[in-house]
């Protein structure tokens, strides 16, 4: 019907009749060749145009069953993992929301796009950059974002990236709560709340509802789409329906390992967890009572399960609509998180718990389902990967590299390293004008950090950690003569990286 209408619009009735007859005969020939086995859906003639479902969770470290966390109740993400490649060593470029997301969505590192704080919008620094969703929009896809995709403030929603800007939702701090006493003003109240009954009593349930509706509309219209869905949790405050809190009724959160700072680590590497201390039930200084620590742990895990369920609802609808076989699914966390380990809460460091993220990629007919890779990759590799999978060209130089070789063979040779960074003083993430920047590089078995004075360009502190036996920094080995060669190698990587800024 659509083809017939197109011919009628461009040709007269006689020409249209002749051309339409040719089209019909050609279609019959292709149909017969296909069913005779002379052509297949894998042939270039039938090159598939993938849809993309791009899911991001806020503040989610790999606290998931598919990453080996036996306490986590995450059946839906675990099920997605069974048809994906699980990247066990994926790292963000800066462990706080705005820089991390700006890096992934522009395909550029924080020093390249100018975003190293929570205030700067990348358009201020690179106004003509083409973002990942914008690249799909320019290629004829319908590009929509639902929830927190870019940084959550209205000025950073970046309407030019989307085909339908009105679908992008922004929620205030007040929206995070359900109880009236916590919804007074637009400020932080309690650090956690688990009282509501329905999933959509909180924003992430509403985000899942909107995503499901959008999928139904895409199924009806037949449009190719890039749909980004950004969930708010498990970001503070830890708020979700009470059933998710109840899931962890029998879990023991009393034992926290590695509570102390790494031996020999410099003071500049740490902060006073100001983000957490801003909540009304958290001490303004000093230690957090043991009972409160356990409640925060439980609250974090409960919010992870809440997000897991919302993701499951969206993926179930994709399956119900028979759209999963033509849709690439990417799930990632914008950065990791500390839950009291190393004397830290929240994010904003260069350490493993803050920079390591969950990353799952599922590509129909390509990914070896249920596989995992230990290759070291970066979050900004997502942009070039999706462009290559969908046959699109980049509009500017991308700093990441495509992960398609790992999607095709998770055990292939991979010379990956991951760079991350964070500024000091801590207040610079909101007030700008940092005096120091810590740059870190992760290679198999090792993490190295160099802290630069941004005024002089000199290195004021260094850190070297052996991570061959675990994913947490315990003892700063920088300066130890036994590790001189590896430290020199890693410092040269950092110095070259810093020099290109």
């Amino acid at each position: 019907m659509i083809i017939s209408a197109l011919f009628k619009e461009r040709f007269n009735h006689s020409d249209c009749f002749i051309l339409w007859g040719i089209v019909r005969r050609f279609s019959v020939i292709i149909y017969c060749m296909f069913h005779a086995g002379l052509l297949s859906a894998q042939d270039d003639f039938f090159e598939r145009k993938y849809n993309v479902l791009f899911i991001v969770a806020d503040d989610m470290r790999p606290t998931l069953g598919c990453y080996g966390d036996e306490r986590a109740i995450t059946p839906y993400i675990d099920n997605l993992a069974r048809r994906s490649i699980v990247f066990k060593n994926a790292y963000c470029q800066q462990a706080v929301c705005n820089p991390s997301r700006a890096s992934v969505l522009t395909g550029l590192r924080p020093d390249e796009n100018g975003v190293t704080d929570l205030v700067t919008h990348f358009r201020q620094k690179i106004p003509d950059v083409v973002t990942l969703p914008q690249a799909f929009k320019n290629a004829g896809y319908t590009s929509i974002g639902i929830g927190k995709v870019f940084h959550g403030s209205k000025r950073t929603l970046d309407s030019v990236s989307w085909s339908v800007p009105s679908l992008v939702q922004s929620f205030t701090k007040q929206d995070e709560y359900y109880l009236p006493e916590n919804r007074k003003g637009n400020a932080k109240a309690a650090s956690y709340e688990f009282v509501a009954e329905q999933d959509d009593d909180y924003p992430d349930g509403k985000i899942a509802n909107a995503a499901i509706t959008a999928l139904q509309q895409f199924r009806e219209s037949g449009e190719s789409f890039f749909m980004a869905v950004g969930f708010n949790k498990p970001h503070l405050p830890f708020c979700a329906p009470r059933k998710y809190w109840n899931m962890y009724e029998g879990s023991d959160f009393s034992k926290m390992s590695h509570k102390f700072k790494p031996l020999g680590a410099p003071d500049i590497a740490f902060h006073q967890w100001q983000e957490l201390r801003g909540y009304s039930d958290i001490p303004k200084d000093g230690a957090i009572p043991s009972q409160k620590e356990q409640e925060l742990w439980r609250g974090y895990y409960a919010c992870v399960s809440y997000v897991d369920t919302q993701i499951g609802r969206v993926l179930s609808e994709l399956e119900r609509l028979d759209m999963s076989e033509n849709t690439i699914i990417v799930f990632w966390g914008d950065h990791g998180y500390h839950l009291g380990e190393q004397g830290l809460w929240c994010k904003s460091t260069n350490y493993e718990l803050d920079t390591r993220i969950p990353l799952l990629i599922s590509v129909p007919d390509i990914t070896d389902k249920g596989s995992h890779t230990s290759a070291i990759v970066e979050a900004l590799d997502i942009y070039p990967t999706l462009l290559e999978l969908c046959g699109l060209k980049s509009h500017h130089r991308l700093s990441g590299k495509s992960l398609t070789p790992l999607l095709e063979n998770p055990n292939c040779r991979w010379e990956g390293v991951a760079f991350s960074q964070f500024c000091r003083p801590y207040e610079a993430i909101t007030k700008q004008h940092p005096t120091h920047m810590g740059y870190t590089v992760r290679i198999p078995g090792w993490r190295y950090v160099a802290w630069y004075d941004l005024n002089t360009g000199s290195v004021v502190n260094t850190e070297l950690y052996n991570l061959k036996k675990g994913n947490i920094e315990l003892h700063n080995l920088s300066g130890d003569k036994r590790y001189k060669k590896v430290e020199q190698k890693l410092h040269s990587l950092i110095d070259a990286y810093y020099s290109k800024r």
Side-chain angles (χ1 to χ4, degrees), residues 329-349:
I329 303 169
V330 177
F331 167 70
W332 62 290
D334 61 351
H335 47 72
Y337 207 74
H338 273 84
L339 290 166
E341 303 97 341
Q342 299 176 301
L344 291 161
W345 286 86
C346 306
K347 54 267 189 184
S348 307
T349 76

Side-chain angles (χ1 to χ4, degrees), residues 255-273:
K255 296 179 181 179
M256 183 188 300
S257 60
H258 308 301
K259 287 189 67 172
F260 302 102
K261 295 180 180 180
L263 183 65
D267 290 342
I268 197 171
F270 301 89
H271 55 77
Q272 301 302 314
W273 8 297

Side-chain angles (χ1 to χ4, degrees), residues 92-135:
C92 69
Q93 277 42 78
Q94 188 169 335
V96 71
C97 300
N98 192 33
S100 174
R101 292 162 185 261
S103 180
V104 170
L105 294 163
T106 64
L108 300 172
R109 301 185 186 278
D111 282 342
E112 294 172 329
N113 61 32
V115 181
T116 59
D117 55 53
L118 295 175
V119 180
T120 304
H121 181 30
F122 60 85
R123 295 285 179 196
Q124 297 172 237
K125 304 290 185 176
I126 44 172
D128 297 325
V129 72
V130 175
T131 66
L132 175 60
Q134 188 179 359

Side-chain angles (χ1 to χ4, degrees), residues 171 209 392:
F171 295 96
N209 290 345
L392 308 185

